[in-house]
């Protein structure tokens, strides 16, 4: 699946020598019908971007603010996990409610909720803040039992896309 937006369209990927050389929507899946948008193709460019972050980074400058260099330092995965686990244990021991867990990716929202519940904090949320559908997804969840809804295009007589593309309307906001 493409994670370039909320639609999370089904895709087919063509690779050669371990590298992606082409990508298209999966024609057998209603959310993409064999098509994809520029965001999906851009995700391939992100994958091979030479400036892509591939290792954990740790801030070494405690000073923060505009124009302040955070002085990032590469650290290993084991060290990063040890730091995270240590800090989470400290918070959990002090008061688990101090932890706020938020996610903006629809496919990971249930993992976020499960982690928050297991940790002991009631402060977990899908969608950071009040933007990009937090109200919409709440309404869908309470109305349909899911965060998303599908347009029934086969039985639709008219479809007006006002400032949106079909990919956006086909999986989230009918």
């Amino acid at each position: 699946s493409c994670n370039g937006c909320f639609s999370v369209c089904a895709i087919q990927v063509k690779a050669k020598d371990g590298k992606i050389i082409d990508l298209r929507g999966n024609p057998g899946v209603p959310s993409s019908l064999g098509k994809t948008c520029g965001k999906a193709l851009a995700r391939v460019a992100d994958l091979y971007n030479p400036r892509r972050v591939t290792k954990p980074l740790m801030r070494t400058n405690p000073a923060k603010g505009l124009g302040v260099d955070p002085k990032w330092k590469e650290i290993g995965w084991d060290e990063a996990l040890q730091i995270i686990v240590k800090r989470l244990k400290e918070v959990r021991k002090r008061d688990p409610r101090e932890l706020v867990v938020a996610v903006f990716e629809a496919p990971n929202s249930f993992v976020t909720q499960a982690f928050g519940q297991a940790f002991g904090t009631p402060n977990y949320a899908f969608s950071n803040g009040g933007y990009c559908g937090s109200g919409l997804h709440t309404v869908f969840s309470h109305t349909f039992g899911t965060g998303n809804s599908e347009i029934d295009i086969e039985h639709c007589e008219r479809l007006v896309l006002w400032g949106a593309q079909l990919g956006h309307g086909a999986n989230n906001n009918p």
Side-chain angles (χ1 to χ4, degrees), residues 15-140:
K16 183 176 180 181
D17 299 325
K19 300 271 186 184
I20 296 173
I21 59 169
D22 194 22
L23 175 136
R24 66 183 183 129
N26 186 331
V29 178
S31 67
S32 56
L33 297 173
K35 308 225 181 320
T36 190
C37 71
K39 291 178 189 173
L41 298 172
R43 301 300 298 170
V44 177
D46 291 343
L47 180 64
Y48 297 116
N49 184 333
R51 296 185 66 197
R52 177 177 164 227
V53 176
T54 59
K55 295 180 182 166
L57 299 174
M58 186 170 94
R59 178 189 207 86
T60 61
N61 184 0
K64 297 178 182 178
L66 291 175
V68 177
D69 182 0
K71 298 188 180 174
W72 296 113
K73 172 181 94 170
E74 269 189 13
I75 61 175
W77 288 104
D78 289 340
E79 183 181 359
L81 289 172
Q82 287 172 1
I83 291 168
I84 292 166
V85 168
K86 179 179 179 246
R87 290 184 183 172
L88 285 173
K89 282 181 178 180
E90 290 168 359
V91 169
R92 191 174 199 185
K93 184 177 180 182
R94 210 171 39 245
D95 184 353
R97 295 171 300 174
E98 289 181 13
L99 181 68
V100 176
V101 186
V103 67
F104 188 63
E105 298 177 50
N108 294 325
S109 62
F110 296 108
V111 173
T112 303
Q113 182 177 354
F115 180 80
Q117 288 176 345
F119 191 85
T121 182
N123 304 312
Y124 50 85
F126 166 66
S127 191
N128 302 334
Y131 59 89
C132 200
S134 58
L136 173 79
H137 296 293
T138 302
V139 169
F140 280 175

